Amino acid sequence: MTAQILDGKATAAAIKSELSVRVAALKERGIVPGLGTVLVGDDPGSRWYVNGKHKDCAEVGIASIQRELPATASQQDVEDVVRELNADPACTGYIVQLPLPKGLDQNPVLELMDPDKDADGLHPTSLGRLALGIQGPLPCTPLGIVELLRRHGVEINGAEVVVLGRGVTVGRSIGLLLTRKSENATVTLCHTGTRDLAYHLRKADIVIAAAGVPHLVKPEDVKPGAAVLDVGVSRSEGKIVGDVHPGVAEVAGWISPNPGGVGPMTRAMLLNNIVEAAERRAGI
Ligand SMILES: Nc1nc(=O)c2c([nH]1)NC[C@@H]1CN(c3ccc(C(=O)N[C@@H](CCC(=O)O)C(=O)O)cc3)C=[N+]21
């Protein structure tokens, strides 16, 4: 058996074309959604991601607001840019690219953001709203994963989901999404303190591997027919190495390629958060 592909690239393209219709409708009411990015320092990877986000915006008709600061910027400099974007009506949502350079403290920066402009869905208020079931922006990678499964017809309702990794962007928050009544999954969160990982993996209908450990998920641990999502990004000789061993494709029913799986979906959901925030504000 060879797993069917959870095609993030094609799915993200479909979502982007749907979003451009919604952006056009907003523009007819005189509203232009605008994504702001704050990039501090000159890490080439971070710059590449930020540029990709602005390219995505151009594709769907969202305006771009780019703010760049040198690696030598002070805490005060970064916080001033955040205050400026909070006050800028052209900026309907924004992200501060993480991680910040050494010496800068990211939590005070994130807490200073206007939660209604949080495009990442990672502001304490956004995570609090998710826990309480109040409408608001949702974390982009978890949202992208749910959307990728939904659009490929993978059953989430009643599924046993095993999540690997307790990072804030994926592992910590995805359980909150998947255990809502509307998703209705049973979620087990595994991490470096989990005693018997294979025991949990073997009963999973859906595996979400977000540990950042190359080839952590082995073919012999995966239940035949399971859906396996590879979120891990490690690099070896310039190439992406995921958390899922390539042999898993022979056992799983569904697999997300990496690259071309969850990454493009994360980007599409950032755009989705911008459009939804603009719609919420317009009372749509
Ligand atoms: N405030 C903030 N928000 C973020 O969302 C955020 C961040 N900081 N810091 C860095 C990480 C990383 N991240 C990725 C998004 C898309 C791909 C992506 O689309 N990757 C392509 C290929 C990438 C390649 O070939 O190098 C793919 O998977 O097909 C990757 C990584 C968002 N991040």
Side-chain angles (χ1 to χ4, degrees):
M1 179 171 167
T2 301
Q4 299 187 67
I5 301 298
L6 294 164
D7 188 343
K9 214 170 161 186
T11 308
I15 291 170
K16 281 195 260 186
S17 82
E18 293 162 18
L19 287 172
S20 38
V21 175
R22 287 162 66 183
V23 171
L26 281 164
K27 283 183 179 167
E28 263 171 40
R29 297 170 165 233
I31 300 158
V32 182
L35 171 72
T37 59
V38 181
L39 176 62
V40 187
D42 38 29
D43 176 68
S46 292
R47 184 170 298 272
W48 190 87
Y49 289 135
V50 166
N51 288 342
K53 284 161 191 168
H54 291 288
K55 230 180 286 159
D56 291 341
C57 284
E59 268 179 53
V60 304
I62 296 175
S64 277
I65 300 146
Q66 257 172 297
R67 292 287 178 270
E68 285 189 23
L69 290 165
T72 53
S74 67
Q75 186 78 21
Q76 178 77 39
D77 294 336
V78 179
E79 292 181 5
D80 282 346
V81 171
V82 166
R83 282 191 198 92
E84 184 218 323
L85 291 180
N86 281 348
D88 183 353
C91 173
T92 56
Y94 67 97
I95 64 145
V96 176
Q97 183 70 21
L98 302 174
L100 292 173
K102 271 198 204 87
L104 294 172
D105 192 356
Q106 87 184 30
N107 284 338
V109 173
L110 297 181
E111 290 206 51
L112 194 62
M113 293 175 71
D114 176 349
D116 292 327
K117 291 191 176 190
D118 170 28
D120 271 329
L122 297 175
H123 188 283
T125 297
S126 303
L127 292 173
R129 283 175 175 157
L130 170 57
L132 292 167
I134 301 166
Q135 258 207 8
L138 296 169
C140 298
T141 303
L143 194 55
I145 289 168
V146 170
E147 204 55 31
L148 191 59
L149 290 168
R150 204 182 273 152
R151 289 183 186 234
H152 286 83
V154 177
E155 182 85 272
I156 297 174
N157 194 337
E160 289 283 343
V161 180
V162 166
V163 179
L164 310 185
R166 55 186 147 193
V168 175
T169 49
V170 188
R172 271 274 172 241
S173 52
I174 195 165
L176 291 169
L177 221 69
L178 288 171
T179 53
R180 298 183 301 186
K181 282 250 168 69
S182 50
E183 275 70 29
N184 232 16
T186 299
V187 178
T188 305
L189 177 56
C190 297
H191 44 74
T192 47
T194 299
R195 227 179 286 152
D196 189 351
L197 187 58
Y199 161 81
H200 293 287
L201 281 174
R202 275 185 220 125
K203 62 184 167 90
D205 303 308
I206 300 173
V207 175
I208 297 168
V213 178
H215 298 176
L216 177 63
V217 180
K218 308 262 190 285
E220 60 269 28
D221 298 335
V222 172
K223 174 158 125 183
V228 180
L229 289 109
D230 190 357
V231 191
V233 180
S234 306
R235 275 176 210 273
S236 165
E237 291 160 13
K239 280 182 111 175
I240 290 182
V241 184
D243 285 3
V244 177
H245 189 283
V248 170
E250 305 304 318
V251 183
W254 294 94
I255 198 158
S256 77
N258 190 1
V262 175
M265 292 300 293
T266 298
R267 280 163 59 172
M269 291 304 120
L270 179 70
L271 302 177
N272 175 79
N273 280 348
I274 294 289
V275 173
E276 280 194 352
E279 288 174 345
R280 257 196 301 275
R281 205 163 306 170
I284 301 173

